[in-house]
Structure formats: C-alpha cells, structure tokens
Amino acid sequence: GPKATAAELDSAAAQFEMFAEVADAVEAPFTFGVPPRVIAAASPDTDTALLLRDDELLATPATPFDVSSAVGVDRIESFVNQLLAGEDDLRSALPRVPVRREAWLTTTPLSAAAAQELRDLGVRYLAMTDEVFADSVGNDGDIPPRDEFVDVALPNGNTIPILVIDTEFGASFTTAATDEILAESSPTEWVIEAVSRLRLEQSTAPVLTRRDERSRLIAVPGLAAPDPRLIVALERFAEQSDAIDFVPASLLASITTSQETTSDQTLPE
C-alpha cells in the first residue's frame, strides 16, 4: 500500500523476484497479480522481463484501490484512472510481458455492483480463493468444484463467471510438500498418480458432464511462490500426453465450462 515501509516494499519485491525465478524454471505460463510499485522496486540486477518472457500480468491499479469501496462511494472514475495508470506502470516496468484484463484476482470480498463495473471494464472472469468465495457468494459454506466456472448474477441482468483457485492441488507445490512427495516416489510416479486422479474425477461425474471442458487455476495456499520441481515434471508429462495442457489464465474463459447450479448465485449488495 501507499504507507508501506521501505522494509515491507523490499520484502514484497524479493517475493516477486522469487516468483520470477520459478517462472523462468517452468516453461508453462504463469499469471501474476502484482502491484506496479512492487515490480518497480525489484532488483535492477535481475532481468525480470527476460525471466517472465512467456508469462502474463493481470491489470492492477497503480495504488491499492478497492473496487467495491469505489463503487460504494461513487468513485468509480477514480478507480478507472488508477487502473489505467497501473497498466501503464506495468507496461513501462516490463514492456515485453503482456498485461491482461481478462481475469481479476479477487483477494477481498466483492460486491455485485463492483463485479458489474469490472465486467464493463473487460474482465471476463473472477479468480477467487476459497475464503473470498465463501465471504462473497456464501453458498452455505460449500465450495464448488474448482475446475468449472460458477456464473453469478449481476445487477444489470448479465452474469460473470467465477473460478475458485485450486489451492488444494496447489498445496503439493510448497517446498515442504514437494520434499515429502519426492521422499516417497519419483516425479514421474507422482505425476501419473495426480493426473490419473484428476481424470478419474471427471470420469465418475454425472454422464451429462463428463465431456465438460475443465480447467484449474493452480496456486499454493497463501498465493506464495511455488517450488518448481513437481511443476516441471507435470509440464513434461503434458508435452507428451493429451490428458492435460497448460495455458495462460487469460484464455480460460474461452475454453472452460460453467457448471449447472440448482439456485441463482449472487454477490452481496
């Protein structure tokens, strides 16, 4: 935030550099939601643009600016100005890394009116953690399947899809979990087991949904930098098999099915 101390900014920049190093080790595309100020504070000795050459950045306001609060006090024009400034800052700091609006990383509860404004600004879907989905959509505390969209109604009668970030699968990519897995099996054994489980889940789904197009946004709990060892093994498998594929997060709205729900899903006023 604007009141961050120098130490806090240095810590955040160091975390971003860790992400960049992991993204360089993994060929699969990463998608980052990073405050422009943090990117600007990254070490000049690190060619971050080169490390992130196959990845993408999500559009972010130049300074922290909660869209739900902005809509609530009729300051949406200020939010848009900060968003445009943030996009310019990102492109200036990393000119070779594309900046996307297709997805919006939602880390705090979101109002229905704010979601509508984001949709009007070109956001095609919301990426939410379990906790934010529970706070924003409710759904009686039930978390929907993490491999299909949930369409939520907007005040103007349209909808916007939500994809819950898969931190359950992503928990395997913490360093501690990776060490534990590799102590018991080889990377190839783990990959075959993991992919088989994902495909079996789909094969046991109701008949009408077995051919649905499914996608997962994978992140470790807390959205921290992952350990690349198992991800590298997973992407090597993907290169040799049609069972799974890695794509940029910006494409998911075009290739992923929305799940059927028995009741209307809504965001709070």
Side-chain angles (χ1 to χ4, degrees), residues 139 143-151 162-163 209 212 257-261:
N139 214 37
I143 302 301
R146 295 167 174 81
D147 56 2
E148 291 185 300
F149 284 115
V150 176
D151 290 333
I162 294 174
L163 193 60
T209 64
D212 285 358
T257 303
S258 289
Q259 56 194 269
E260 296 289 337
T261 57

Side-chain angles (χ1 to χ4, degrees), residues 15-30:
Q15 291 183 56
F16 171 64
E17 290 172 18
M18 288 173 59
F19 267 111
E21 290 171 3
V22 173
D24 185 51
V26 177
E27 292 185 11
F30 275 72

Side-chain angles (χ1 to χ4, degrees), residues 37-52:
R37 188 179 177 207
V38 171
I39 293 179
S43 171
D45 298 328
T46 303
D47 190 350
T48 311
L50 179 62
L51 298 181
L52 302 182

